[in-house]
Amino acid sequence: MTGGKRKTARRQADPKGRPKGPWYGATVVFLLVLHLGLAFFSLKDESPTVDEFAHLPAGAYYWLSGDFSLYGKNPPLVKLWCGWPLLAAGAKVQTEDRYEEVGDWRPWVYGTRFMRDNRADYQRLFILGRLPNLVLSLGLGLVVLFWAKELFGPTGGLIALLAYGLGPNILAHARLVTMDLGMSLFWALTLYLFWRFLKTPKFGRAAWVGLALGLANLTKFSALLLLPLLPALWLLRVLSAPGEEKKRLFVRGLAGLAGSFLIALLVINAGYGFRDTPTDLRAMAATSRSLQTLAAGPLGSWSWPAPRDYLMGLDRQKKDAEAGVFPNYLNGEFSQDGWWYYFSYAWLVKTPAAVEAALILALGLGLVRRRTGAADLIFLGLPIALLWVVLSFFNQINAGLRYFLPAQPLIFVFLGSLGRVNWLTSWKRRAVVIALAGLLVMETLGAFPHYLAAFNPLWVKRSEARFHLLDSNLDWGQDLIHLKKFMDRRGLTKITLAYFGHVDPKIYGINYELAGATPTEAPVAVSANLVMGLPYLLTYVDPPVWVRPETFAWLWDRRPEAQVGYSILVYNLPK
């Protein structure tokens, strides 16, 4: 046997897929550093996005006040995690005025106060606040790596990590103080730990599941889907177990589920400082149909062992999901109810071509070879399917692919099936995987640093992306700094501007007049959302100005002469 054949035989004969030599660890470190580098060097020149504007100041406010009602539509974990660097950096954080009289706009009114109090250091504070989210992204990358490696071997782990680390949608949200990346981490971590628990059902492993489940529910309310999902996965695993293992897995799995749910409940209460718990639903004055129905039924008489702020935030979020918030947009049309196929379309046009091709290849190989047990693949497929069904049919908010982000890491883990050693023995097959990896590198580097506006070039030309999707898919208020750099390059000392966001453009030295419904011959820059007719309240001017759908109708038939970060359209540039 030649040396090359002996090496192949040893790789195939290793049932646990243990890596050989130092190259494996070095490759993992390289991919993680590359991911963090792309994220960091693209975040520092992005102005605070619409949600960040309120999320980050709220996190600092929580630390000083202990009041979690500010921006309570999301649980506090990520805001707390990202808010502490502001306190360490000496940011001015007011706690005496709660701004309750402005209702749902309270977080943005408070964010405006924070901006004005910290004007000189505003961008630096947001850079510091974004850095902790990179740690969460690093953790999610390791979950993807370990899970894919256990399923498909070391090469599968590297393929999954590569797809994750260079995923433009992951990079877009890894850099922002929002809930989506954190939710993706704790969603995937809970499923991974539960998968390992069912393989060896011990109390210690169940405790880790409970901790991850609690952290997921402290990150985003959509983590409540894990409560029915975990029992369903347990029952499917019991049904697929050999006869002699069914009883053992049933008993220990049931006990582990009960224990993990209790631990998760304890973690949720701890996250809110054990304040205002338990809660009487009927005394809470719910506004969503879901919680009103629950409060009116037999369960409404219970004292629910959850913090009041948690349940009130859930109620507000459910109300938005039931009725919508702003008009949804897809392919040039607006709708208050949205479209059942919105997230399927958004995933198709915003997922790199290399990932889509790899997924088709992995699905084909899975159907043909059936090497991985169905019970293992259900842990990847069922959560994706559940999330898609809920978002598509029980949700009125079509504001961005980011809501589907927790499904992405599970897809990357499945792509690790391309790393099966027996499939990669052929050099032609290895060449296919290497070519797909190279294509992904090209797509990701080509999208730098504008990852929020990244689209699959096979389906959408980025300069025309506004005709397909808006909001957090393209224009989330991130490009003020890039606009200032554009003005400096073109020698523009002043511009007529209307941008979708809340940060005062003057913070970045942008000298502007507010653009409106009156046509102008001066250079004018307008956010893609506003040009296409998405209504919004501009709060960075005093008094605030409501932009109506037809405000920029005079630009509808005109082609922009330049685009800044693909989210700001520029017209009437001097020759």
Side-chain angles (χ1 to χ4, degrees):
M1 183 181 291
T2 64
K5 291 182 178 180
R6 280 197 298 271
K7 291 179 181 178
T8 300
R10 283 199 300 271
R11 286 197 298 265
Q12 292 176 340
D14 188 354
K16 295 185 178 179
R18 285 186 289 265
K20 304 291 183 180
W23 65 270
Y24 188 81
T27 305
V28 168
V29 171
F30 171 77
L31 291 176
L32 292 174
V33 170
L34 177 62
H35 171 73
L36 294 177
L38 290 172
F40 174 75
F41 287 106
S42 59
L43 75 81
K44 62 186 182 66
D45 287 335
E46 289 205 343
S47 49
T49 57
V50 168
D51 284 8
E52 281 185 296
F53 181 85
H55 279 313
L56 186 59
Y61 174 85
Y62 294 162
W63 283 110
L64 295 181
S65 69
D67 173 19
F68 296 104
S69 64
L70 179 65
Y71 214 153
K73 287 184 181 180
N74 298 112
L77 180 61
V78 171
K79 288 173 278 188
L80 284 167
W81 173 240
C82 294
W84 67 264
L86 275 62
L87 304 181
K92 298 178 182 177
V93 181
Q94 303 291 338
T95 59
E96 74 281 359
D97 194 339
R98 300 179 61 176
Y99 301 102
E100 292 179 338
E101 69 280 0
V102 296
D104 288 343
W105 281 98
R106 179 188 168 202
W108 285 271
V109 173
Y110 182 81
T112 301
R113 172 69 180 274
F114 177 85
M115 176 182 68
R116 291 170 178 167
D117 287 345
N118 296 278
R119 192 176 187 88
D121 287 333
Y122 192 65
Q123 183 65 20
R124 182 179 72 90
L125 291 175
F126 267 84
I127 291 175
L128 292 174
R130 288 166 169 171
L131 294 181
N133 214 48
L134 297 185
V135 178
L136 301 183
S137 187
L138 179 64
L140 180 52
L142 293 175
V143 172
V144 169
L145 169 70
F146 293 148
W147 200 350
K149 180 173 174 289
E150 289 188 48
L151 283 173
F152 308 116
T155 305
L158 291 182
I159 290 174
L161 181 60
L162 174 68
Y164 171 83
L166 294 183
N169 293 309
I170 296 293
L171 285 166
H173 296 283
R175 313 161 307 156
L176 304 180
V177 186
T178 57
M179 312 300 108
D180 304 293
L181 194 283
M183 170 61 184
S184 301
L185 165 61
F186 295 118
W187 172 274
L189 181 61
T190 301
L191 292 168
Y192 170 59
L193 293 175
F194 191 61
W195 174 76
R196 297 187 78 244
F197 163 74
L198 290 181
K199 286 186 173 297
T200 308
K202 297 180 179 179
F203 176 76
R205 291 193 171 190
W208 285 111
V209 173
L211 176 61
L213 179 61
L215 294 176
N217 280 276
L218 281 174
T219 301
K220 204 167 183 179
F221 290 116
S222 51
L224 289 169
L225 293 175
L226 290 166
L227 301 185
L229 181 59
L230 296 185
L233 291 169
W234 161 67
L235 285 175
L236 290 172
R237 180 57 65 88
V238 169
L239 293 175
S240 65
E244 63 276 7
E245 292 185 17
K246 272 187 168 60
K247 182 178 179 181
R248 171 177 170 270
L249 192 56
F250 179 87
V251 174
R252 293 195 176 186
L254 183 60
L257 269 174
S260 62
F261 280 15
L262 288 174
I263 292 173
L265 187 59
L266 179 65
V267 171
I268 293 171
N269 279 278
Y272 283 85
F274 296 99
R275 293 183 57 198
D276 300 326
T277 185
T279 301
D280 183 350
L281 280 186
R282 291 180 178 174
M284 199 180 74
T287 58
S288 67
R289 292 193 302 270
S290 300
L291 267 72
Q292 284 176 348
T293 302
L294 188 62
L299 298 181
S301 60
W302 293 10
S303 285
W304 286 70
R308 178 182 175 85
D309 283 338
Y310 178 85
L311 292 174
M312 290 189 67
L314 174 62
D315 176 58
R316 293 177 188 141
Q317 193 66 260
K318 287 295 296 180
K319 181 182 179 182
D320 287 350
E322 292 166 356
V325 183
F326 293 102
N328 302 301
Y329 176 90
L330 180 65
N331 287 334
E333 296 182 1
F334 287 96
S335 168
Q336 194 65 35
D337 299 327
W339 301 265
W340 70 266
Y341 53 87
Y342 175 90
F343 289 97
S344 300
Y345 183 84
W347 184 88
L348 179 68
V349 299
K350 284 190 66 68
T351 297
V355 172
E356 293 179 354
L359 181 59
I360 293 172
L361 184 59
L363 286 169
L365 288 172
L367 292 174
V368 173
R369 297 182 178 272
R370 299 183 183 277
R371 287 286 193 178
T372 304
D376 289 330
L377 293 183
I378 284 174
F379 265 80
L380 302 176
L382 186 59
I384 295 173
L386 176 63
L387 189 61
W388 178 81
V389 167
V390 170
L391 289 175
S392 299
F393 298 102
F394 300 96
N395 164 60
Q396 301 297 318
I397 301 176
N398 294 172
L401 182 61
R402 64 190 180 90
Y403 290 90
F404 194 60
L405 199 68
Q408 305 281 52
L410 306 183
I411 294 173
F412 299 143
V413 171
F414 178 70
L415 292 183
S417 62
L418 294 175
R420 293 187 180 114
V421 175
N422 60 341
W423 185 79
L424 288 178
T425 51
S426 164
W427 70 268
K428 292 182 180 179
R429 294 167 180 170
R430 286 198 298 270
V432 171
V433 175
I434 293 172
L436 290 175
L439 177 59
L440 178 60
V441 170
M442 292 174 59
E443 290 184 84
T444 303
L445 295 182
F448 180 89
H450 306 295
Y451 289 120
L452 270 176
F455 281 79
N456 183 326
L458 292 182
W459 307 117
V460 173
K461 187 177 180 181
R462 278 215 287 183
S463 61
E464 299 177 354
R466 65 188 182 280
F467 298 113
H468 298 262
L469 296 168
L470 291 177
D471 212 280
S472 60
N473 297 302
L474 173 68
D475 177 10
W476 220 12
Q478 71 271 18
D479 283 322
L480 280 181
I481 297 176
H482 294 290
L483 176 62
K484 172 58 178 171
K485 291 182 178 181
F486 172 83
M487 292 175 63
D488 291 343
R489 289 195 303 269
R490 298 299 295 262
L492 299 176
T493 58
K494 189 174 184 179
I495 200 163
T496 305
L497 172 68
Y499 107 98
F500 183 86
H502 297 285
V503 180
D504 183 357
K506 293 179 180 178
I507 283 182
Y508 301 110
I510 297 175
N511 183 19
Y512 75 97
E513 291 181 358
L514 186 65
T518 304
T520 175
E521 294 302 319
V524 57
V526 184
S527 288
N529 287 343
L530 304 180
V531 170
M532 299 306 293
L534 187 67
Y536 204 67
L537 183 67
L538 304 185
T539 60
Y540 51 85
V541 291
D542 189 15
V545 173
W546 182 256
V547 177
R548 300 184 182 279
E550 69 281 359
T551 298
F552 293 100
W554 56 281
L555 293 173
W556 287 352
D557 295 329
R558 298 184 56 180
R559 185 181 184 89
E561 296 166 30
Q563 294 192 21
V564 176
Y566 303 97
S567 77
I568 299 178
L569 312 181
V570 187
Y571 303 83
N572 298 342
L573 285 171
K575 301 298 182 182

